[in-house]
Amino acid sequence: ASAVAGRCFEPVSGRVTFAHQQIEATIYVTIKAVARYSSEDKFRVLVSDPEGGVKLDGATDGGEGRNIATITIAADAATRQRVDYLQGMLLAKWEKSKSGHASWAEQIRAALLVNGGEAEDDDDSSVSVGPSIFDYFIHGLALPWKLLFSLVPPPDYCGGWVCFFCSLVMIGLVTMIIGDMASLL
C-alpha cells in the first residue's frame, strides 16, 4: 500500500453489522486532496473476525479468517488534461518571455553602440569598415534619445500593448520637449 493514513485518507476502524441476507455494506473513507498527477495511491480495507455464522471466502486474499480489499486512488483524467493544457500554455508564454527579454537586451545594447555595433561594408570591397568620426559625433548627440527610447519594451510583451502605450508616452514626451524648445525661440 502506498497511501499514507492521515495524509492521503482519514483512517477508519469499526464494526460492520449485516442484517439477515444482506450481502454488501458501505464503508465511508474520507480521501484527502493530495496532488496526484500521474501516480496512484493504494490502501487496504481489512474485514476480519466474522461473527454470527458468517463465513468469508477462503479463496480470496486473506483466507477464511479475513478478507482484504485493495483500494486505488487515481488522478482524475479531466484534471490531468487541464494540468497538461496549463503547463503547455505556461511553457509557450515562458519561451515568448525569454525571447522578449533577449530582444529588449539587444535593443538596449544597440542603443549604446555606434551604428548599433555593426560595421559598415565598403562598396568597393568585401572589407568592413569601422565607424567614422561623423558616426561617433552623431552617436554622441543621439545617445540620450537612443537610451530613452530603448526603454520602450519590445512588442513581445502583452500582445504588443505595453509597447504601444509606452510608445505613446514617449511620443508625448518628445512633443512636449519640442514644444518647450520652440517656445524658447
Side-chain angles (χ1 to χ4, degrees):
S2 59
V4 178
R7 183 178 65 92
C8 300
F9 64 94
E10 290 293 330
V12 177
S13 65
R15 178 178 290 269
V16 178
T17 305
F18 288 86
H20 182 65
Q21 294 190 354
Q22 181 181 354
I23 58 171
E24 68 179 48
T26 303
I27 301 171
Y28 292 99
V29 178
T30 302
I31 307 295
K32 292 189 172 185
V34 177
R36 284 180 197 88
Y37 175 71
S38 62
S39 66
E40 293 181 341
D41 288 327
K42 297 179 179 184
F43 66 93
R44 293 191 173 120
V45 175
L46 301 168
V47 178
S48 61
D49 302 325
E51 297 175 356
V54 175
K55 292 185 180 181
L56 299 175
D57 187 0
T60 61
D61 195 13
E64 290 183 13
R66 65 181 180 178
N67 275 14
I68 301 172
T70 302
I71 310 299
T72 302
I73 308 169
D76 182 34
T79 302
R80 186 179 300 167
Q81 188 176 14
R82 282 193 307 266
V83 169
D84 287 344
Y85 175 75
L86 288 174
Q87 185 179 14
M89 292 295 292
L90 286 174
L91 186 60
K93 295 282 186 187
W94 178 253
E95 290 300 320
K96 191 171 184 181
S97 175
K98 281 181 15 184
S99 79
H101 289 325
S103 175
W104 204 349
E106 176 61 28
Q107 181 175 306
I108 293 171
R109 186 188 72 76
L112 290 171
L113 299 175
V114 179
N115 293 337
E118 297 177 7
E120 295 179 4
D121 289 336
D122 191 5
D123 292 338
D124 298 336
S125 68
S126 62
V127 178
S128 55
V129 179
S132 67
I133 300 294
F134 182 71
D135 291 333
Y136 280 106
F137 175 73
I138 294 298
H139 175 71
L141 287 176
L143 184 63
W145 298 104
K146 290 167 76 175
L147 287 175
L148 179 68
F149 284 99
S150 71
L151 297 178
V152 174
D156 297 327
Y157 296 103
C158 299
W161 288 107
V162 176
C163 177
F164 175 73
F165 286 114
C166 286
S167 297
L168 286 179
V169 168
M170 292 297 183
I171 290 169
L173 181 68
V174 169
T175 304
M176 181 184 73
I177 291 172
I178 289 174
D180 287 346
M181 291 294 160
S183 68
L184 292 176
L185 295 177

